[in-house]
Amino acid sequence: MAATVSLRQGDLVWGKLGRYPPWPGKIVNAPKDLKKPRGKKCLFVKFFGTEDHAWIKVEQLKPYHAHKEEMIKANKGKRFQQAVDAVEEFLKKVKAKQEQNSGDDKGKKAEGKSKKQAGEKKRKASGSVSPTKKSREQSPRKRGRPPKEDKEDTAGDSWLLHGHRTLGTEMVLKKPSVTYQAISKRLKVSEEVTGSTSIQAADSTAINGNITPTDKKIGFLGLGLMGSGIVSNLLKMGHTVTVWNRTAEKNASGGIHSEVWDPDENCKCDLFIQEGAHLGRTPAEVVSTCDITFACMADPKAAKDLVLGPSGVLQGIRPGKCYVDMSTVDPETVTELAQVIVSRGGRFLEAPVAGNQQLSNDGMLMILAAGDHGVYEDCSSCFQAMGRTSFFLGEVGNAARMMLIINMVQGSFMATIAEGMTLAQVTGQSQQTLLDILIQSQLSSIFLDQKCQNILQGNFKPDFYLKYIQKDLRLAIAMGDSVNHPTPMAAAANEEEEFRWLLKEEVHSVLKQLQDILKEASRRFTLPGGTADGATKQENFVLGSSSTDQVKAVLTLQGDTLCQAEVNLKVTRTNQLLHFAFRDDKQWKMQQIQDARNHVNQAIYLLTNRGDNYTFQTGSEVLKLMDSVMLQLTRARNRLTTPATMTLPEVATTGLTRMFTPALPADVLLNFYVNVNKLCFLVYQLHALQPNSAKNFRPAGSSVLHNPGAMFELNNQRFEVSHVHKVECVVPWLNDALVFFTVSLQLCQQLKDKISIFSSYWNFRPN
């Protein structure tokens, strides 16, 4: 957005802040305690429909009336419309007051007084009134809000300054608690009807008070859901920030994983660059060009890879460079990272954060820091921008231990809440009544209220992903084990959380893998031919034997159908060479291939007939699904690896012998079949037995391949097999399909084993 006209105090404008949509506001005087950010020219804007205000760059402002229609067409949210209504109501009041003043002026004759009054009216229209009076007249009030709320106007924000206090060896950088509820009330985030976050969340200045950003260059590695909110608040408070994320690496094997990634990852860097951030190509480059570099990774492995991997943090560390790890990891990992950073002359601080995505966006995280106290002090303005409270806990490792303990308590508490709400439902108790009772009890807390309300509303959108709280529970349990301190409640909660995560996350991940593998297997049966009509590809196979030249065949296979066949047969007794081929109107269906494909498609149907958001409720439900899928896959594999057995009369009556031209001699039988990944062709040469033959007639049974000497009777005529010729060739895509079947069966069995272990624990855990 670029301003096309000069703007001044009192003008109505559209102001754009960061990623939020343009919002109607008015340029007003800023309170003395809210200093103007350094750098580009900014104007202080009070937004309508909210009680938010912020310093906005001039190029992010547009005149209200000139762009009104454009903005209203682009934004349809309910809160946005309320803000526009507030502007129109304000304009009506201004117009009514002007008309009233104009009527009063008509009875006044003195020219001097008229000029003076005209000047007064002009000053009123341009906003030249006292700040106190203007705040009362022009600040739009939410409907239903009592007048006393006007006391919370921009002039009263001086109490938002940070205070410092020392508790023993712990230094606390804390905002006064008496202001938190007022701030939360004024600046809570709400969702519009359109699903976008409203401009109410944008005013970090009001939340974080009068912050003087450090003049040091800040780097930030990892723009996940937590990291994005942190970086956004650093930029809003005027910090110089260089960002890096793994977008270019995320699909690579062994890539570095940031904390939490959302579907719109590719545009993360671009969004922050638009807000004034710089882009770093690698972690090493960010560290080498910045004074203080923050990182927020998902787990210990990711934190180590970021530091020790190719083009990692360690390669950019120089004497005096500061590295702040905000990941929640175990004490051993953070100690190892501190040692390697310090060994290169760097300075290290661990600073894991407590909170969720919402608190990160609002700049209300809690930071637990330990390590180099000088780095902690240098990060003061950064911690104020991203959080409401920060603690310094001494030597490296203490913050990791404390954070794991906090998350252990939170995870155990959350598991208990979920069990309690479920138990209330299955025993016929009102979940709402349970919540009302808990809120009035000693357990009352914002966390309890929010989680229970989400359960009641069926809102299971995560603020903090299950796999990460499960990771923290595992680390906390391991920390307890390392000092021989049992944590049975956390262990039970971890088992529950892990089982829930297994049902909700890993099961769906395995099902998606199976779908992809089996769809690829199904495509192998109908390879596209590259034609406009999408016909299945035709493949020619030459069947022969290195040990004999009695039979040679050229077969054309199209999916599960033999559409052409040419056979050369040298009769053993006479050495006569016979040549015959399929008639033009005849094709032979390979039943084994058709059956295998049908079983694969049935397995795919079983995996896909549930919605993407379906949640498995029990382990037995998953086991039943896996058994059904494995049954279909086993049948598909067996149809290819185990050809059907047939008697010689059955071979003779299949109709295959009547498909050739010229007609086959009466003493020749043919058969096609699949064995594993090979297409096989059998030719039986027969000898008719005379009625008075002295041979003991014994009919052969059912078999895939009959040997010479086998006897059978057909149409009152007895025959004996004199010669058997078999030729074959490998069909590559059949081999691919069998590999897919084997991999899929292994995945199913692995998932079954996991579910069975957890189900056994769940069903037989001690009371």
Side-chain angles (χ1 to χ4, degrees):
M1 297 178 64
T4 57
V5 296
S6 60
L7 298 171
R8 59 182 179 177
Q9 288 185 10
D11 286 349
L12 298 179
V13 294
W14 296 95
K16 188 172 187 334
L17 187 59
R19 292 165 288 176
Y20 301 101
W23 205 264
K26 182 177 180 181
I27 301 174
V28 298
N29 279 325
K32 293 181 180 180
D33 55 344
L34 292 183
K35 294 183 179 179
K36 188 175 182 179
R38 293 178 297 177
K40 296 184 179 181
K41 184 178 179 182
C42 298
L43 294 173
F44 195 78
V45 177
K46 178 82 173 181
F47 292 105
F48 285 88
T50 76
E51 294 195 20
D52 299 335
H53 49 269
W55 287 102
I56 308 294
K57 296 176 184 178
V58 171
E59 59 266 26
Q60 299 295 326
L61 297 174
K62 283 186 176 181
Y64 176 81
H65 294 288
H67 297 273
K68 176 181 173 181
E69 292 185 4
E70 169 192 347
M71 297 303 176
I72 291 177
K73 288 180 180 179
N75 298 281
K76 303 295 183 182
K78 181 179 179 181
R79 297 197 62 80
F80 176 83
Q81 188 57 52
Q82 291 175 346
V84 174
D85 292 343
V87 178
E88 298 304 317
E89 185 178 350
F90 168 75
L91 291 173
K92 288 179 182 179
K93 290 182 179 179
V94 172
K95 183 178 180 180
K97 186 173 293 187
Q98 290 175 344
E99 291 176 352
Q100 181 181 357
N101 292 339
S102 177
D104 292 342
D105 289 343
K106 289 181 180 179
K108 300 192 179 183
K109 304 289 187 178
E111 183 178 353
K113 287 186 178 181
S114 297
K115 291 180 179 180
K116 181 178 180 180
Q117 289 166 356
E120 289 177 355
K121 286 190 291 180
K122 185 177 180 181
R123 285 194 298 274
K124 288 181 181 179
S126 63
S128 300
V129 295
S130 66
T132 304
K133 184 174 180 180
K134 182 175 63 174
S135 177
R136 289 196 303 267
E137 291 179 353
Q138 297 174 354
S139 297
R141 183 183 301 124
K142 292 183 179 179
R143 296 176 183 176
R145 183 182 295 276
K148 63 180 181 181
E149 290 293 328
D150 283 353
K151 294 179 181 179
E152 293 183 9
D153 212 334
T154 56
D157 291 332
S158 59
W159 38 261
L160 289 170
L161 298 175
H162 280 66
H164 297 266
R165 59 190 178 95
T166 302
L167 297 176
T169 60
E170 301 175 358
M171 175 172 288
V172 183
L173 203 63
K174 188 171 182 180
K175 302 168 188 178
S177 60
V178 294
T179 67
Y180 177 65
Q181 291 181 348
I183 296 172
S184 300
K185 188 173 183 180
R186 296 171 59 188
L187 298 170
K188 64 181 179 180
V189 173
S190 61
E191 294 295 326
E192 294 186 359
V193 175
T194 58
S196 61
T197 305
S198 81
I199 199 71
Q200 283 183 286
D203 191 7
S204 288
T205 305
I207 281 186
N208 292 307
N210 185 16
I211 298 175
T212 302
T214 179
D215 56 1
K216 297 182 181 297
K217 295 180 180 179
I218 305 300
F220 204 97
L221 311 176
L223 302 178
L225 296 184
M226 297 290 282
S228 293
I230 293 173
V231 171
S232 182
N233 285 316
L234 288 173
L235 291 170
K236 290 173 187 174
M237 294 301 103
H239 294 84
T240 301
V241 184
T242 299
V243 297
W244 172 89
N245 70 3
R246 67 179 182 109
T247 299
E249 303 178 44
K250 66 179 180 179
N251 292 325
S253 176
I256 300 170
H257 296 277
S258 177
E259 178 142 4
V260 185
W261 298 94
D262 61 23
D264 202 20
E265 188 57 39
N266 285 322
C267 64
K268 279 288 180 66
C269 280
D270 292 339
L271 289 173
F272 291 116
I273 290 171
Q274 292 173 11
E275 293 184 16
H278 304 286
L279 177 64
R281 292 176 296 180
T282 66
E285 181 182 287
V286 174
V287 173
S288 63
T289 57
C290 295
D291 302 305
I292 304 173
T293 300
F294 295 86
C296 194
M297 294 289 115
D299 53 43
K301 182 181 183 303
K304 288 182 180 180
D305 290 345
L306 182 67
V307 174
L308 305 174
S311 301
V313 169
L314 196 59
Q315 295 184 20
I317 289 292
R318 303 288 184 273
K321 295 290 184 181
C322 301
Y323 184 64
V324 182
D325 194 338
M326 308 191 79
S327 314
T328 300
V329 297
D330 55 283
E332 292 74 22
T333 295
V334 78
T335 301
E336 179 184 346
L337 295 179
Q339 290 173 349
V340 296
I341 295 295
V342 173
S343 69
R344 293 289 184 92
R347 302 166 66 194
F348 183 85
L349 183 75
E350 60 166 329
V353 294
N356 53 34
Q357 180 190 357
Q358 185 65 67
L359 295 176
S360 174
N361 292 338
D362 292 347
M364 299 299 288
L365 296 169
M366 180 173 66
I367 301 106
L368 306 184
D372 191 321
H373 192 274
V375 178
Y376 175 72
E377 292 180 339
D378 290 341
C379 294
S380 174
S381 69
C382 297
F383 288 159
Q384 292 177 52
M386 67 180 72
R388 59 186 174 88
T389 308
S390 63
F391 293 84
F392 184 79
L393 304 178
E395 64 182 17
V396 170
N398 285 346
R401 295 183 184 94
M402 186 66 76
M403 183 58 66
L404 291 179
I405 294 170
I406 291 172
N407 286 352
M408 180 188 74
V409 173
Q410 177 178 323
S412 302
F413 185 45
M414 189 62 240
T416 305
I417 292 174
E419 280 194 357
M421 294 291 282
T422 304
L423 184 60
Q425 184 181 38
V426 299
T427 57
Q429 304 303 305
S430 167
Q431 290 181 327
Q432 181 63 60
T433 302
L434 173 61
L435 174 58
D436 294 339
I437 294 172
L438 290 173
I439 293 300
Q440 297 299 321
S441 72
Q442 294 176 329
L443 296 176
S444 177
S445 66
I446 296 175
F447 179 77
L448 173 68
D449 184 37
Q450 289 177 341
K451 291 300 179 184
C452 290
Q453 289 290 357
N454 286 342
I455 293 174
L456 290 173
Q457 296 168 9
N459 176 19
F460 299 106
K461 182 180 179 182
D463 286 324
F464 193 77
Y465 283 91
L466 192 60
K467 59 184 176 181
Y468 294 118
I469 193 65
Q470 180 198 339
K471 176 262 297 182
D472 294 346
L473 284 169
R474 286 200 305 266
L475 293 177
I477 294 167
M479 183 173 69
D481 292 342
S482 68
V483 293
N484 296 320
H485 181 78
T487 52
M489 293 298 294
N494 181 53
E495 294 292 344
E496 181 177 354
E497 296 293 350
E498 191 159 353
F499 192 36
R500 293 181 192 277
W501 175 80
L502 186 65
L503 292 177
K504 185 176 181 181
E505 302 287 343
E506 185 165 355
V507 168
H508 284 282
S509 175
V510 173
L511 296 187
K512 181 64 169 62
Q513 284 182 272
L514 287 170
Q515 291 174 31
D516 294 341
I517 293 171
L518 295 182
K519 286 178 181 177
E520 190 62 36
S522 180
R523 279 193 288 269
R524 288 295 190 275
F525 291 95
T526 55
L527 293 174
T531 58
D533 59 358
T536 303
K537 179 181 179 181
Q538 293 186 354
E539 298 178 287
N540 294 325
F541 297 97
V542 178
L543 286 71
S545 173
S546 60
S547 60
T548 179
D549 60 352
Q550 297 295 117
V551 176
K552 288 185 179 180
V554 178
L555 306 180
T556 301
L557 184 64
Q558 185 175 22
D560 58 7
T561 303
L562 280 175
C563 53
Q564 293 178 14
E566 293 188 14
V567 179
N568 290 328
L569 172 63
K570 183 185 291 186
V571 179
T572 305
R573 293 189 300 271
T574 63
N575 283 333
Q576 180 185 2
L577 184 63
L578 302 178
H579 176 80
F580 40 92
F582 274 178
R583 289 160 43 187
D584 292 340
D585 61 337
K586 296 295 183 180
Q587 292 183 338
W588 183 254
K589 183 71 70 174
M590 299 296 296
Q591 195 63 45
Q592 287 175 265
I593 297 177
Q594 186 181 49
D595 290 347
R597 181 188 176 191
N598 289 340
H599 288 307
V600 172
N601 290 339
Q602 182 62 26
I604 294 173
Y605 170 76
L606 291 171
L607 293 169
T608 57
N609 67 344
R610 294 170 177 80
D612 294 337
N613 298 323
Y614 181 82
T615 300
F616 291 91
Q617 300 300 320
T618 63
S620 60
E621 185 182 2
V622 180
L623 293 176
K624 183 177 179 181
L625 173 62
M626 289 298 97
D627 286 339
S628 299
V629 172
M630 292 179 72
L631 176 62
Q632 296 299 326
L633 293 178
T634 302
R635 287 175 174 174
R637 185 173 65 178
N638 289 346
R639 286 299 284 131
L640 297 180
T641 59
T642 309
T645 60
M646 301 176 67
T647 64
L648 287 168
E650 288 174 339
V651 174
T653 57
T654 58
L656 183 59
T657 56
R658 296 190 296 273
M659 294 180 59
F660 289 91
T661 182
L664 292 177
D667 60 351
V668 174
L669 292 181
L670 306 177
N671 191 27
F672 296 104
Y673 65 91
V674 172
N675 186 15
V676 190
N677 62 341
K678 295 178 180 179
L679 180 60
C680 304
F681 178 44
L682 282 178
V683 178
Y684 296 104
Q685 288 185 249
L686 308 177
H687 170 66
L689 296 176
Q690 298 301 319
N692 57 357
S693 174
K695 284 189 176 183
N696 183 22
F697 180 76
R698 183 178 298 175
S702 182
S703 178
V704 176
L705 174 64
H706 294 274
N707 296 317
M711 301 179 183
F712 70 100
E713 183 175 350
L714 181 66
N715 298 328
N716 298 320
Q717 175 69 51
R718 291 179 176 180
F719 295 92
E720 180 183 12
V721 176
S722 59
H723 297 87
V724 180
H725 306 292
K726 177 185 177 184
V727 289
E728 60 186 23
C729 72
V730 173
V731 180
W733 59 262
L734 283 176
N735 188 68
D736 294 344
L738 287 167
V739 171
F740 290 141
F741 296 163
T742 301
V743 172
S744 299
L745 285 166
Q746 290 174 346
L747 281 174
C748 291
Q749 189 60 52
Q750 290 170 2
L751 182 59
K752 281 187 64 178
D753 292 343
K754 285 186 180 181
I755 294 291
S756 297
I757 291 171
F758 277 103
S759 296
S760 298
Y761 165 80
W762 212 245
N763 294 333
F764 300 105
R765 56 182 174 165
N767 293 324

